[in-house]
Amino acid sequence: MVIKEFSIHPLAVADPPLRSSYGRHAPYALRTLIRLDTTDGICGVAEAHGGEGSLAALHALRRLVLGMDPFALHDLWMRWGAEEAAGDRTQTWMVPGENPHDARRRAFAAVEAACLDIIGKAVGKPVCDLLGGRARGAAPFSAYLFYKHAGGGGEGADEREDEYGECLTPESMVRQCRRMIAQYGFRDIKLKGGVLDPEIEIETVRLLRAEFGPNYPLRIDPNCAWSVETSVRVGLALREELSGGGYLEDPCAGLDGMAEVRRRLLAAGADIPLASNVAVTGFEDILPAWRGHAVQIVLSDPHYWGGIRAVQRLGDLCRCLGMGLSMHSNNHLGLSLLIMAHTCCATPAMEFACDTHYPWQHSSDEILAGGRVQFENGAVRIPDRPGLGAEIDWDRVARLEERYRRLPYRRRDDAAEMRKHVDPAWQRILPRW
Amino acid sequence: MVIKEFSIHPLAVADPPLRSSYGRHAPYALRTLIRLDTTDGICGVAEAHGGEGSLAALHALRRLVLGMDPFALHDLWMRWGAEEAAGDRTQTWMVPGENPHDARRRAFAAVEAACLDIIGKAVGKPVCDLLGGRARGAAPFSAYLFYKHAGGGGEGADEREDEYGECLTPESMVRQCRRMIAQYGFRDIKLKGGVLDPEIEIETVRLLRAEFGPNYPLRIDPNCAWSVETSVRVGLALREELSGGGYLEDPCAGLDGMAEVRRRLLAAGADIPLASNVAVTGFEDILPAWRGHAVQIVLSDPHYWGGIRAVQRLGDLCRCLGMGLSMHSNNHLGLSLLIMAHTCCATPAMEFACDTHYPWQHSSDEILAGGRVQFENGAVRIPDRPGLGAEIDWDRVARLEERYRRLPYRRRDDAAEMRKHVDPAWQRILPRW
């Protein structure tokens, strides 16, 4: 069995105007669907980051994939040079999906997932069962809350209900969270911060805790928007709220700053773990992060760490170093959600609920035949089907691909959206507070 | 498909009177063959450590394995509590196969290998291809040289040729090596030291280098027989011979001693890496070993590190910490050799030739149908058969099992053999020199 076809489908997915320190989400999030077909007539699929950077890497990888045995993944990794990620890795200002250091690993990860989908279908087993089996039966996710402007995003938004409405105050965030938990049953809460004045974000976290109580661990992620000083101040203000299973994620830019934040929090008796997915995006980053006590929880992601197996190996590494393991999310569709769920279930060390943007995508853009993936008590159960368990609605794919080709969006640029809609002079400034 | 039968076959394998700092090998090395049979009629096998300790752990694990899906290995790992390995791990005096800290992992590792054998047979793929595929097409091994007394070991030894004869001098060791390399084509040389006066062992290494030249990297392993002082002295005397792909393995007992040896060697300009398989036998040991610069190369072993996948994960951990990865060997038959070869081929980080005792076992004790595994240029090629690629000669197994039951050997005790044959007062003393 070898791979005889490799098709690459860029997709534009409607996305509401969510806010972060990067700016404001464009009306479309970009994703890529890849499809591998084997000489045995088996088709494997995977979802990857989107836009022209992702497409270029996948097209470059394509010639190595055609003709390969889908089991021969180490060989592909080596031929593709995915190990090499030299250069300055102090990449704390970049969106993970756009970081050039990890571009080869992102492309490899997509092919790995599609090959595992093929293998699972050939063998009649779900992907996580090919990887040592399940450390847990379902993958828990967190309620990922965003400050946002009104509107559903993308074409047809006017006809769709703006499910969560505008949310730029602590009180509306509590409503957002209540609604999301009622619908999905999440048991962990993540607030995307770095958007409003830190005092308002502190107040938001406090209100969330008051509403949901200590059984809903809280994490806040300002994406490096704060100075060391501000990070320490927020940490101390939220020392109760962010402990007991919660964490403070990428409060400021750079490992040195994170290490100082941690030192100062500890010195003040606040043992709040720091997490990262921007200062730590590859195996090369772990040791510097660990050595300086800058990061206590690594946010993995099968899409950019080099695949599902890479996250499994990262889990053992983290355990050995006494670090925790959680999972980062970009905007994604149901196929990525399944990749993340298989990864979580096959990784014993994944002891935190994973992040997911899934509630922010609308069912009308779902590419899975049969509609959106369902959650039970905030968790995704592995489908009782071989491979990733995804059946693709190719008409939907064609529609999202046509939309990608018609629209001008080619890379994520949240700052451009801020300049267009909020402030013509807006720039991402680190630290902002 | 679930496992419906789990049979455990203790084996006694003829072994020549090899010497090490533990003493003298008994006439029989102890191994265990396990066999799992599934409801689908597929049979998986694996070879494990031997003797009553190994048997007890495998029998205890048996009740968890019966009825399990062979894909559900993470679940077994957790139910069996293989993660727990508490207690004082400064275990530098123990033979790896007898270390109680890793007993659960050793038993799990055997079941994992047999389950992977089943999965491979069910899927029609060699085991290494189930684990990400091959980082290399064949697994390179080293020529593992021992000082030894005359005799082939075990019953029937008198009728068999004593292939290597007595070897207690530098000159006879060069002959042993020449013979072994002529037969197997090894490209790396490992000398088991800690047996004769260090000056004689230094002379042995020098003669080996003079005979084979720098293209045959050299390693010496005195199994902790030396003091720090002696370790430094030998290292400095052999600074040329042990560099360039060679290493100094467990020269003295304990991580503190190893760290001091490394410091003093470096201070004298001798950058000889130190390797270990006694101070470092589990993931818990890696960090203390790395932190103190006591160990630069970790000697893995799928038999006691918790399986083939555990060695793969160890590989990434070692790369991340800048440590090298090699592989330890106990006495073993061809089935273990295949397990080791699959592990090596599926582990990109395995960049040193693996150790093997295989040349020391006689073809008349091989349990593989078709006879002994063949080497090409010192390497074992993955058989073009599903699973581990082993077909078992069950008559041979019955013969070695009958021998085990008839004979009194129940655990490895090289000191007892020394007292019996060499010196009635012999004890293992660390350091001896």
Side-chain angles (χ1 to χ4, degrees), chain B residues 310-361:
Chain B
V311 172
Q312 288 188 303
R313 297 191 298 257
L314 175 63
D316 278 79
L317 172 58
C318 285
R319 279 202 171 163
C320 181
L321 295 176
M323 299 169 98
L325 185 70
S326 187
M327 195 189 291
H328 160 268
S329 146
N330 276 108
N331 276 101
H332 62 87
L333 293 167
L335 182 52
S336 273
L337 186 66
L338 291 175
I339 292 171
M340 295 157 79
H342 282 280
T343 306
C344 172
C345 288
T347 305
M350 191 73 69
E351 286 170 356
F352 288 91
C354 305
D355 290 341
T356 176
H357 285 63
Y358 202 57
W360 297 106
Q361 265 51 66

Side-chain angles (χ1 to χ4, degrees), chain B residues 140-404:
Chain B
F141 287 87
S142 64
Y144 200 164
L145 311 180
F146 283 83
Y147 296 107
K148 70 181 284 288
H149 301 281
E155 58 187 10
D158 296 342
E159 298 95 66
R160 292 201 310 271
E161 185 197 7
D162 176 14
E163 191 179 356
Y164 293 98
E166 181 184 274
C167 180
L168 293 166
T169 64
E171 294 73 19
S172 57
M173 191 62 83
V174 171
R175 286 196 297 275
Q176 184 186 112
C177 190
R178 210 183 288 136
R179 188 179 184 104
M180 202 180 274
I181 285 179
Q183 188 172 343
Y184 297 92
F186 297 122
R187 305 300 306 261
D188 289 76
I189 299 168
K190 166 163 176 166
L191 174 63
K192 177 61 78 180
V195 174
L196 304 177
D197 185 280
E199 292 306 318
I200 302 176
E201 300 195 350
I202 289 171
E203 180 58 19
T204 305
V205 172
R206 286 186 176 151
L207 274 191
L208 288 167
R209 171 54 51 98
E211 173 80 10
F212 297 97
N215 289 332
Y216 288 75
L218 279 159
R219 46 187 96 158
I220 182 170
D221 172 19
N223 286 120
C224 316
W226 301 336
S227 65
V228 168
E229 208 60 44
T230 303
S231 301
V232 172
R233 181 162 56 83
V234 175
L236 292 179
L238 296 174
R239 66 165 76 197
E240 292 305 325
E241 291 81 355
L242 299 181
S243 56
Y247 50 77
L248 177 54
E249 179 178 332
D250 289 308
C252 59
L255 291 175
D256 292 346
M258 299 259 299
E260 191 183 339
V261 170
R262 172 74 176 161
R263 257 194 316 276
R264 287 171 58 180
L265 287 174
L266 277 181
D271 186 5
I272 300 171
L274 303 189
S276 181
N277 66 59
V278 281
V280 180
T281 67
F283 285 90
E284 301 84 346
D285 306 320
I286 293 285
L287 203 50
W290 174 82
R291 239 191 244 268
H293 306 284
V295 174
Q296 287 70 52
I297 295 165
V298 176
L299 299 176
S300 67
D301 186 329
H303 299 89
Y304 68 83
W305 272 85
I308 303 178
R309 283 199 173 99
V311 172
Q312 288 188 303
R313 297 191 298 257
L314 175 63
D316 278 79
L317 172 58
C318 285
R319 279 202 171 163
C320 181
L321 295 176
M323 299 169 98
L325 185 70
S326 187
M327 195 189 291
H328 160 268
S329 146
N330 276 108
N331 276 101
H332 62 87
L333 293 167
L335 182 52
S336 273
L337 186 66
L338 291 175
I339 292 171
M340 295 157 79
H342 282 280
T343 306
C344 172
C345 288
T347 305
M350 191 73 69
E351 286 170 356
F352 288 91
C354 305
D355 290 341
T356 176
H357 285 63
Y358 202 57
W360 297 106
Q361 265 51 66
H362 197 270
S363 59
S364 59
D365 274 4
E366 183 52 86
I367 58 170
L368 297 180
R372 279 164 70 80
V373 176
Q374 298 302 305
F375 288 74
E376 290 171 40
N377 301 316
V380 172
R381 194 160 286 285
I382 298 298
D384 193 17
R385 288 194 293 275
L388 292 168
E391 196 188 328
I392 302 297
D393 178 335
W394 292 100
D395 292 339
R396 281 283 173 84
V397 171
R399 188 161 66 76
L400 301 194
E401 184 169 355
E402 180 278 324
R403 193 197 273 163
Y404 178 92

